[in-house]
Amino acid sequence: MSAQTDGPIEPLISMPELTPDALRAAVARIAPSRIPALTQHLFEATTNAQQTQSLAPLRAFVPSWAVFVAIQRHPERAARLRELERIVDAGEQDPAAAIAEIQAIRETAEAEAGVLAEVERHACVHVRNVTWYG
């Protein structure tokens, strides 16, 4: 006999505060293999902020990792995103539907993370190392 759950599966963790330290702690819990990427991104954002004398690079860091956490804290959402990325990467079919679903996942994550106002409003989807603008 298998147990069934009613409704969506609960997230692995609650959404953290939108600070570098809180996001780092969340990533360490749900995707520890991504800590080097987070650390590198924060280092680059800090360096760019100093070189340009602008806070813009640091302001981009928090929403980026908040969306990552919002996706990864839901294993089924993260798995679906990986599957969609695989479809796009394979190049075996028209990627339009997969890209649209990726955008929907990201928009849901942005809203959940509370970063809609901070995210640039042009349509942009980043899949692995390729970015599509719409």
Side-chain angles (χ1 to χ4, degrees):
M1 186 183 302
S2 64
Q4 290 186 326
T5 58
D6 294 329
I9 299 171
E10 290 295 316
L12 297 174
I13 62 171
S14 59
M15 195 62 206
E17 292 181 29
L18 301 182
T19 66
D21 287 341
L23 291 168
R24 183 191 321 262
V27 171
R29 288 190 60 203
I30 60 175
S33 67
R34 300 295 294 160
I35 288 293
L38 178 144
T39 302
Q40 181 65 30
H41 186 185
L42 183 56
F43 174 78
E44 290 171 0
T46 302
T47 300
N48 289 340
Q50 290 171 341
Q51 290 174 345
T52 62
Q53 297 183 2
S54 169
L55 293 177
L58 291 170
R59 287 188 184 127
F61 171 85
V62 168
S64 173
W65 285 95
V67 169
F68 175 82
V69 168
I71 292 169
Q72 298 300 315
R73 70 193 200 105
H74 294 277
E76 69 286 348
R77 182 189 294 169
R80 180 62 182 155
L81 181 60
R82 285 190 300 275
E83 174 62 18
L84 293 167
E85 290 172 338
R86 188 202 60 74
I87 290 168
V88 172
D89 287 347
E92 297 171 0
Q93 57 186 297
D94 182 357
I99 291 170
E101 192 173 345
I102 289 168
Q103 286 177 317
I105 289 170
R106 288 191 54 79
E107 288 171 4
T108 298
E110 289 168 1
E112 192 175 288
V115 298
L116 283 176
E118 298 179 42
V119 176
E120 291 182 16
R121 294 311 336 149
H122 62 81
C124 172
V125 175
H126 182 78
V127 180
R128 302 223 187 243
N129 293 323
V130 179
T131 302
W132 285 270
Y133 293 93

